[in-house]
Amino acid sequence: MMTRPCDMLPPVRGSLAHDAPLKDLVWFRAGGPAEILFRPADVDDLASFIAARPADLRISVIGVGSNLLVRDGGIPGVVVRLSSAFGKIQTDGVRVRAGAAALDGAVARAAADAGIAGLEFLRGVPGTIGGALRMNAGCYGREVKDVFVEAVAIDGKGNKISLSSADMGFEYRKARAAGEDLIFVEAVFEGTHDEPAAIRARMDELSANREASQPIKSKTGGSTFKNPSGHKAWQLIDEAGCRGLMMGSAQVSEKHTNFLINTGDASAAELEALGEEVRRRVKEKSGIILEWEIKRVGVA
């Protein structure tokens, strides 16, 4: 019998699946499978796997796939998807401790219930805390770096390490530390005291604004391109005549032009090609080169 890749991996308490579909795990509902999908049982399971894995084994991490485009050829190596064990949320005073698999919106709600203000913006950020750390996610004038205290990650040798704000190296929609061989497992944020009702009211307003201006009920990957300095990506895209532009079943949103939509059974190739066509038209119209905010992974 032939040996499958997962048969050569160290034992785990979580689960390992070979040729595992990812299409239904990402918001675009498009893309190929993971060569191996690993769902660790807990932090120790993840750390021991990383420490004992073959040195040349490629590791990727996905959350709920809210800002991710998996190419149609899938992702080689091992894809780590954190289980619910990594989704715990605790509050203490004006601090919130959240696992990397916790939904950003759930963290915002937990903070509101505890009377902790300053994290309301997370209600408008799709995805999980792990992804928010990697991207320094933000909206409506606030970013992760504004409330960040520390993070815990597993490094490429399986060690658990703590990172300060300086260690993270936050920039616009980026954390330099995320480029290293790290898997975030937990973070601590700090806000200020306020009345829970007042916090919830601000969150409700933010949520209503988001629903009114963004195609959040569509199969989309969130904001497609970063805002160039001094410009708004959606406006550049609109001025380049791309509103509603289609390529196969992939479409530039009519509602918010910095969103790409899978209108049916679009392939990842169609979505990426449409994004590249938008970049070409914007450059031709304004001379500005848009930079992808959505993370594109895997092989064509």
Side-chain angles (χ1 to χ4, degrees), residues 52-71:
R53 68 187 167 110
D56 59 348
L57 181 66
R58 178 176 176 176
I59 302 288
S60 305
V61 185
I62 66 169
V64 292
S66 60
N67 205 226
L68 185 71
L69 180 62
V70 177
R71 293 185 173 109

Side-chain angles (χ1 to χ4, degrees), residues 159-214:
N159 300 310
K160 185 189 292 187
I161 63 172
S162 295
L163 298 98
S164 67
S165 184
D167 295 328
M168 291 293 289
F170 288 118
E171 299 175 1
Y172 173 64
R173 296 299 176 265
K174 179 182 178 182
R176 290 195 301 274
E180 300 175 14
D181 199 5
L182 298 177
I183 299 177
F184 295 110
V185 296
E186 187 179 73
V188 177
F189 306 109
E190 185 172 274
T192 57
H193 284 296
D194 198 358
E195 290 298 319
I199 300 171
R200 293 191 195 101
R202 291 193 292 271
M203 284 172 50
D204 289 344
E205 182 180 3
L206 186 154
S207 182
N209 289 339
R210 179 170 173 257
E211 186 168 347
S213 63
Q214 299 176 8

Side-chain angles (χ1 to χ4, degrees), residues 108-125:
R109 288 190 292 271
D113 290 343
I116 303 172
L119 280 72
E120 294 92 326
F121 75 96
L122 287 173
R123 180 66 181 83
V125 177

Side-chain angles (χ1 to χ4, degrees), residues 230-243 252 257 278 281-288 290:
H231 299 273
K232 295 180 179 178
W234 75 264
Q235 192 169 26
L236 293 169
I237 295 168
D238 204 18
E239 291 171 351
C242 297
R243 185 180 294 270
V252 175
T257 55
V278 168
R281 293 192 184 195
V282 168
K283 182 183 178 184
E284 185 178 80
K285 174 70 175 179
S286 65
I288 295 172
L290 292 177

Side-chain angles (χ1 to χ4, degrees), residues 70-191:
V70 177
R71 293 185 173 109
D72 298 308
I75 305 177
V78 171
V79 174
V80 176
R81 191 166 196 255
L82 301 182
S83 66
S84 59
F86 295 81
K88 297 176 182 177
I89 306 170
Q90 298 173 307
T91 60
D92 182 15
V94 293
R95 289 193 169 186
V96 180
R97 182 179 296 273
L103 293 172
D104 300 324
V107 173
R109 288 190 292 271
D113 290 343
I116 303 172
L119 280 72
E120 294 92 326
F121 75 96
L122 287 173
R123 180 66 181 83
V125 177
T128 61
I129 290 299
L133 291 171
R134 299 188 72 85
M135 290 186 62
N136 184 26
C139 62
Y140 300 104
R142 298 279 282 175
E143 299 175 301
V144 163
K145 72 177 181 64
D146 297 326
V147 294
F148 180 87
V149 176
E150 66 176 357
V152 178
I154 304 300
D155 69 14
K157 296 181 180 179
N159 300 310
K160 185 189 292 187
I161 63 172
S162 295
L163 298 98
S164 67
S165 184
D167 295 328
M168 291 293 289
F170 288 118
E171 299 175 1
Y172 173 64
R173 296 299 176 265
K174 179 182 178 182
R176 290 195 301 274
E180 300 175 14
D181 199 5
L182 298 177
I183 299 177
F184 295 110
V185 296
E186 187 179 73
V188 177
F189 306 109
E190 185 172 274

